[in-house]
Amino acid sequence: MSYDVIILGGGPAGLTAGIYASRARLSTLLVEKAFPGGQLTMCENVENFPGYLGGPGMKLAETMREQAERFGMESRIAEVERVDLLGVEKVLYTADKEEIRGKTVILSLGAKPKRLGVPGEREFIGRGVSYCAVCDGAFFKDKRLAVVGGGDTAVEDSVFLTRYASSVHIVHRRDKFRAQRIIQERALANPVITVCWNSVVREIGGTDKVEHVILEDVFTRDQTLLSVDGVFILIGAEPNTKMVDGQVKLDEMGYILTDEHMRTNVPGVFAAGDVRHKPLRQIITACADGAVAAAAAEKYIEGSL
Ligand code: NAP
């Protein structure tokens, strides 16, 4: 069988594309390697999605999936290893040697956490180094933490981590946060949080688990040892576009280039959400992309776009 629309990736962009495509009576399959939700599942409290007064991201993702499935969207958990997007029929090849075929593909592949690339980071993953406060925060009850980054995630999650930790040091490479003002204000007013401005982590050290980080002042190059039990590296994300590189056009950072209809340079292939080159990566903008991509896929199948 050849689906009208195959959606690759089940974050808010993919789930919304699923709602719109299946509601338009297109045969729609969402392929996701784990449970749907993407980065949304790591969000402890979503409070800026219109109409949703606050609550876990997981719940919002679950509701979106249920809504799409009500309209007939199928979903499948599969590890896609390779894609062939260039032909008229699009083909996804899974690790189980299955071929999934469709007339159109919506790439909603999302992004993954960026690594710092310092000594100790890789060795201590799961032993003090984490990339997800919601996932691992509870393991650090009454512990001392460092959080690296100055964006919304780092600053907001630092406040979240004060539920557990006895101290949280935010290590930021500049003298100003990138985070939204309302998020900054909450962090700066929290007595458990200290900010190490103009500082970078040079090394993460310990024996069996994290025991300290070496901080370096970016101006003086002075190094200090900060004793901590955990390090949350929350410095942004990079797009999951390795699989489609060479088929769809990417920007210099690896994000997929689209037009306002979410069309990539390949006919019948659309992109939506954080994987796309865009100015604002939020749940609401991911959902909007998904809706536009599904509507464009419908028009493409009809031959009117
Ligand atoms: P981000 O906005 O890209 O911020 C990344 C932060 O990490 C920046 O402060 C950056 O420093 C720092 N950084 C990057 N690479 C680094 C490195 N190698 N070493 C040290 N520091 C480094 O990422 P994000 O905070 O994950 O946010 C991603 C998107 O999600 C944003 O659009 C954000 O608005 C959104 N978001 C929104 C909410 C909310 O609205 N409640 C919550 C979370 C995320 P510089 O500032 O110096 O570049």
Side-chain angles (χ1 to χ4, degrees):
M1 124 153 228
S2 190
Y3 287 93
D4 290 327
V5 182
I6 302 171
I7 300 165
L8 189 48
L15 291 168
T16 309
I19 293 171
Y20 276 73
S22 52
R23 191 165 179 271
R25 298 275 179 262
L26 301 173
S27 59
T28 305
L29 175 72
L30 183 137
V31 184
E32 166 63 58
K33 66 169 179 284
F35 41 81
Q39 293 178 90
L40 181 54
T41 57
M42 294 189 217
C43 217
E44 129 90 5
N45 185 22
V46 176
E47 60 177 13
N48 56 359
F49 188 77
Y52 190 72
L53 282 176
M58 184 72 106
K59 184 169 162 249
L60 185 57
E62 244 328 288
T63 312
M64 287 183 191
R65 186 184 58 80
E66 193 186 323
Q67 200 174 354
E69 288 181 351
R70 264 189 211 178
F71 290 118
M73 182 190 82
E74 289 176 37
S75 41
R76 195 174 307 172
I77 292 180
E79 179 86 38
V80 174
E81 284 186 333
R82 196 160 59 82
V83 293
D84 184 358
L85 303 175
L86 301 180
V88 174
E89 189 174 51
K90 318 296 175 194
V91 191
L92 275 52
Y93 300 89
T94 74
D96 297 335
K97 308 283 169 248
E98 194 191 359
E99 291 181 12
I100 302 173
R101 292 171 180 274
K103 297 187 181 98
T104 65
V105 172
I106 297 175
L107 301 169
S108 43
L109 290 154
K112 61 176 170 305
K114 274 202 319 204
R115 304 277 165 111
L116 262 185
V118 297
E121 179 179 15
R122 190 194 291 257
E123 294 89 306
F124 290 112
I125 289 176
R127 291 186 292 140
V129 170
S130 169
Y131 300 88
C132 174
V134 175
C135 317
D136 299 330
F139 298 123
F140 294 92
K141 195 159 178 340
D142 300 323
K143 303 285 189 201
R144 302 154 304 173
L145 293 177
V147 171
V148 188
D152 285 334
T153 306
V155 180
E156 190 169 64
D157 286 1
S158 294
V159 175
F160 167 73
L161 288 167
T162 63
R163 291 186 193 188
Y164 309 103
S166 55
S167 66
V168 175
H169 285 79
I170 303 180
V171 180
H172 185 37
R173 62 185 178 184
R174 291 191 292 138
D175 64 353
K176 245 186 233 107
F177 285 136
R178 178 183 293 277
Q180 299 164 55
R181 191 171 294 264
I182 186 170
I183 291 175
Q184 293 190 31
E185 282 168 5
R186 285 176 195 159
L188 295 172
N190 191 311
V192 177
I193 294 177
T194 310
V195 186
C196 307
W197 300 108
N198 300 313
S199 301
V200 291
V201 170
R202 277 280 167 249
E203 192 184 315
I204 300 170
T207 43
D208 287 342
K209 51 190 176 50
V210 170
E211 287 165 10
H212 65 262
V213 289
I214 307 277
L215 301 185
E216 185 175 290
D217 184 299
V218 295
F219 296 118
T220 64
R221 296 279 164 94
D222 286 347
Q223 295 198 341
T224 47
L225 186 145
L226 178 69
S227 296
V228 290
D229 306 291
V231 189
F232 283 81
I233 299 169
L234 306 174
I235 58 171
E238 54 197 342
N240 294 317
T241 46
K242 221 181 198 164
M243 195 167 38
V244 297
D245 192 6
Q247 298 191 51
V248 297
K249 269 197 190 134
L250 309 178
D251 70 8
E252 66 288 353
M253 306 281 288
Y255 290 93
I256 300 174
L257 291 165
T258 63
D259 66 6
E260 63 178 348
H261 296 283
M262 307 300 142
R263 287 185 294 193
T264 68
N265 60 306
V266 180
V269 180
F270 306 82
D274 282 12
V275 77
R276 189 173 81 80
H277 175 95
K278 63 196 285 194
L280 182 64
R281 293 193 175 83
Q282 295 278 294
I283 306 166
I284 188 75
T285 58
C287 292
D289 285 1
V292 173
E298 184 186 6
K299 292 202 177 83
Y300 170 84
I301 291 167
E302 286 168 4
S304 62
L305 187 73

